[in-house]
Amino acid sequence: MTTAPTLPTVSAEQVNPLRHGLQIERTPEPCIMIIAGATGDLSHRKLMPSIFNLAQSRLLPGGFTVVGMARTKMSDDAFRDSVKASLKEQGYDTTTPVWESFANGLYYFDADYQDAQRWADLGEKLKTLDEARGTGGNHLFYLAVPPSAFPTIVQGIASSNLGRDANDPLQGLSPTEAHGWVRIIIEKPFGRDLTSARALQREVTNAFREDQVYRIDHYLGKETVQNMLVFRFANLLFEPVWNRRYVDHVQITVAESLGLEGRGAYYEEAGALRDMIQSHVMQVLSIAAMEPPATFKANEVRDETAKVMRAIRPFTPDTIPANAVRGQYGKGWIGGQRVPGYREEEGCKPDSNTETYAAMKFLIDNWRWAGVPFYVRSGKRLARRLSEVAIQFRELPHLLFEQGPTDRVEVNSLVLRIQPDEGISMRFEAKLPGPQMSLRPVRMDFRYGTSFGSQGVDGYQRLILDCMLGDASLFPRYDWVDASWTLFMPILDTWSQTRPGNFPNYEAGTWGPAESAALLERDGHRWRRI
Ligand code: BG6
């Protein structure tokens, strides 16, 4: 084996943190990232571009190495070529010295995940690479495989002791075997219901301690989701009004105009509740509703988000119809293009009952939020791609300006835009210029692009780097995941046992089914017009 040149290391001062949108007081230690499922779509479309972006931004440690793992047999060079081809296809420049250096750190290892011998062989390969590339036994496993393969891989890692690291109590290991750190990133979904999530957690804890496990939710890597923490807890202005005394209700929208993008078979089994609400949307809600932690340490932040999940009023079969709505798109128009209905998509059943839209009302039973509804909605093939958290404040207690009989003072609102056009806007009343005392709502806007000249980095990049740095603040802990599945099980059970009867119930390119509007109308509210 030839020793490949290492990537140049760059000190924090040499990199402009604003330009890269990352704070990099720390550089990760050299490590090997072992990607299970390296020939798959996720690896090619998301992981490799993210890691390569980190390399281009000089944020990877010297000696950084990737071992791609999959069943297909291929050489290291063939793997490098395949990564190069897919990066090129996605518009990356692969003619640069950064690519050469990056490519030298790419290796491939074919494996049948069920074969214990191959896991032992992987252990040998990692030892050799640790020596050649100076990675000191620091290993990061990334499960970029379908969820059904998670348990087999975790068992393989456990059987070969590859999950043990220097912090391990050293049962069964000689001190020389345990060195460096070992971590694992597990893609969502973590289970497909409470039972499977618990079973997977049992497998995971056989091989890893909780502090080694990084369950990825790429929404937590989004700048605007993190900015919610800064906005709330680094400003004095907003926290005093962030509660039931001033907030009337909260609306969280995570809308996509895209359809299934060839993932029909997966989506048929998932649906909007599992795919988006149970993970991404509830993470956003948890951050919007959490109490301030004392510090930004991973477990303190995660204690608070888990408390939110546990405080949400549970659903019962009786309360579900009035609080949870499902929808499925039929054919329609998006951006001037005719698009097929869900049931006509490849991989979907012609009489499918899978929901492509879900809207819900939650009540959080604690002092801060008692009586304040949190409405959330998420769906595919909606009119626009847009994610936001909107805080709607209460009505004024008294109005001293005379208004015409049809005039109404708009309530204040604060909108945190997650994507696109990331930013924050506040709506308030202002005096219309002129001799009369007339009021009009106006907006005060903060835009990431304008203020910082950058939209920040992609969530995956940020999260992979955090994992290399050992910072788990932005990764859901298992108790959060368990609480989330516990909350949604009654709805999942009810929905799987009852046919919706009226699917498809919204046209592609609209804002979802009529029942969703009714969910808010019952409380005298309506979804924000976007
Ligand atoms: C994924 C879901 O987790 O998130 C997809 O599986 C969805 O169905 C995607 O399209 C949305 O992510 P983003 O970052 O494009 O909003």
Side-chain angles (χ1 to χ4, degrees):
M1 176 173 320
T2 54
T3 310
T6 54
L7 286 173
T9 43
V10 174
S11 71
E13 298 76 55
Q14 285 172 269
V15 180
N16 173 355
L18 284 186
R19 186 154 60 86
H20 298 286
L22 287 167
Q23 256 199 315
I24 44 150
E25 303 95 1
R26 296 172 296 159
T27 307
E29 291 168 5
C31 63
I32 305 180
M33 182 166 170
I34 305 112
I35 303 178
T39 53
D41 194 49
L42 176 69
S43 171
H44 279 286
R45 243 179 359 97
K46 281 276 189 198
L47 297 187
M48 287 303 177
S50 298
I51 307 169
F52 188 54
N53 273 330
L54 289 173
Q56 287 181 322
S57 306
R58 305 283 193 272
L59 291 170
L60 288 179
F64 177 77
T65 303
V66 170
V67 173
M69 239 182 134
R71 281 170 204 275
T72 322
K73 291 199 185 316
M74 76 170 105
S75 65
D76 291 338
D77 279 340
F79 180 57
R80 288 171 190 145
D81 288 346
S82 72
V83 173
K84 185 177 187 175
S86 78
L87 287 176
K88 249 168 94 172
E89 212 179 280
Q90 294 170 75
Y92 288 90
D93 184 359
T94 52
T95 60
T96 59
V98 177
W99 162 256
E100 289 305 321
S101 174
F102 182 73
N104 278 326
L106 298 180
Y107 295 83
Y108 186 76
F109 184 82
D110 66 88
D112 170 354
Y113 298 128
Q114 281 169 334
D115 182 354
Q117 184 52 47
R118 281 312 270 162
W119 286 103
D121 296 346
L122 176 69
E124 291 308 313
K125 173 146 186 148
L126 294 180
K127 264 188 210 155
T128 316
L129 283 174
D130 277 336
E131 281 189 14
R133 300 195 47 88
T135 40
N138 297 326
H139 300 159
L140 165 54
F141 288 90
Y142 199 117
L143 302 196
V145 290
S148 55
F150 291 173
T152 315
I153 295 178
V154 173
Q155 280 158 17
I157 296 173
S159 70
S160 51
N161 272 343
L162 289 175
R164 299 277 175 83
D165 66 12
N167 294 322
D168 198 84
L170 299 184
Q171 297 125 346
L173 282 182
S174 76
T176 49
E177 274 177 290
H179 59 299
W181 49 254
V182 178
R183 298 179 189 135
I184 183 168
I185 298 186
I186 302 181
E187 268 292 330
K188 79 168 250 289
F190 196 88
R192 69 178 310 278
D193 53 23
L194 185 59
T195 311
S196 55
R198 287 186 175 165
L200 175 58
Q201 175 64 2
R202 274 194 296 277
E203 296 291 351
V204 168
T205 45
N206 277 340
F208 298 98
R209 303 180 307 277
E210 178 65 29
D211 66 277
Q212 295 177 284
V213 183
Y214 291 70
R215 297 172 194 84
I216 207 160
D217 183 313
H218 76 280
Y219 265 62
L220 290 179
K222 290 185 192 280
E223 289 287 351
T224 18
V225 174
Q226 291 165 41
N227 193 47
M228 239 193 303
L229 287 163
V230 175
F231 185 77
R232 289 192 55 196
F233 304 131
N235 293 296
L236 192 66
L237 210 52
F238 307 106
E239 204 44 29
V241 296
W242 209 265
N243 57 52
R244 63 187 298 276
R245 293 184 63 193
Y246 297 95
V247 176
D248 182 74
H249 69 278
V250 177
Q251 297 187 13
I252 301 179
T253 300
V254 179
E256 295 184 274
S257 55
L258 285 179
L260 300 183
E261 306 295 290
R263 294 159 75 224
Y266 152 77
Y267 201 85
E268 265 294 275
E269 297 300 314
L273 203 165
R274 286 189 171 89
D275 187 48
M276 296 295 289
I277 305 252
Q278 181 272 330
S279 49
H280 306 323
V281 175
M282 296 315 284
Q283 283 293 344
V284 171
L285 182 148
S286 301
I287 292 179
M290 72 195 264
E291 296 299 320
T295 70
F296 194 55
K297 289 202 181 95
N299 275 337
E300 295 196 22
V301 174
R302 301 189 301 176
D303 285 345
E304 297 307 332
T305 52
K307 277 188 212 161
V308 173
M309 292 306 290
R310 290 196 292 266
I312 296 177
R313 187 175 300 175
F315 295 97
T316 64
D318 293 343
T319 62
I320 289 169
N323 292 289
V325 164
R326 56 181 157 165
Q328 187 192 70
Y329 63 84
K331 58 184 186 305
W333 294 84
I334 302 237
Q337 302 270 320
R338 191 138 185 80
V339 296
Y342 177 76
R343 292 176 175 187
E344 286 106 59
E345 300 264 18
E346 199 189 323
C348 300
K349 296 193 201 91
D351 60 349
S352 172
N353 286 328
T354 300
E355 81 284 356
T356 60
Y357 178 99
M360 266 154 228
K361 171 182 165 183
F362 300 104
L363 288 170
I364 305 177
D365 289 330
N366 62 17
W367 272 57
R368 184 186 286 264
W369 295 119
V372 178
F374 280 67
Y375 302 102
V376 308
R377 58 177 165 169
S378 179
K380 297 232 179 252
R381 286 284 189 231
L382 296 180
R384 270 181 66 188
R385 172 176 185 254
L386 179 132
S387 301
E388 64 166 39
V389 177
I391 314 286
Q392 305 278 30
F393 290 94
R394 286 187 182 279
E395 301 271 355
L396 292 175
H398 167 69
L399 187 66
L400 56 155
F401 305 106
E402 266 184 33
Q403 296 286 95
T406 55
D407 288 345
R408 200 176 151 259
V409 173
E410 294 278 337
V411 296
N412 294 142
S413 71
L414 185 69
V415 178
L416 301 116
R417 283 188 308 276
I418 297 172
Q419 62 191 22
D421 188 21
E422 290 80 351
I424 295 174
S425 52
M426 194 146 57
R427 187 181 61 192
F428 53 91
E429 292 287 321
K431 180 185 170 303
L432 198 67
Q436 285 148 344
M437 184 54 92
S438 287
L439 312 187
R440 283 286 179 281
V442 291
R443 258 176 34 169
M444 201 152 77
D445 252 336
F446 152 70
R447 288 196 152 86
Y448 268 79
T450 319
S451 298
F452 296 129
S454 130
Q455 305 281 32
V457 291
D458 169 65
Y460 268 93
Q461 280 180 63
R462 160 74 201 234
L463 294 172
I464 291 170
L465 196 65
D466 275 2
C467 177
M468 288 184 204
L469 289 164
D471 181 353
S473 317
L474 298 173
F475 293 82
R477 205 171 52 192
Y478 182 72
D479 55 342
W480 188 96
V481 176
D482 199 276
S484 182
W485 282 122
T486 304
L487 176 69
F488 288 111
M489 281 324 294
I491 303 182
L492 288 169
D493 288 342
T494 304
W495 284 2
S496 70
Q497 285 154 17
T498 50
R499 290 181 66 80
N502 62 348
F503 276 8
N505 59 354
Y506 70 99
E507 246 178 64
T510 65
W511 279 107
E515 292 89 328
S516 172
L519 179 75
L520 273 70
E521 278 159 16
R522 278 196 287 278
D523 297 341
H525 302 311
R526 59 183 162 76
W527 289 112
R528 278 167 36 77
R529 257 196 306 270
I530 292 172

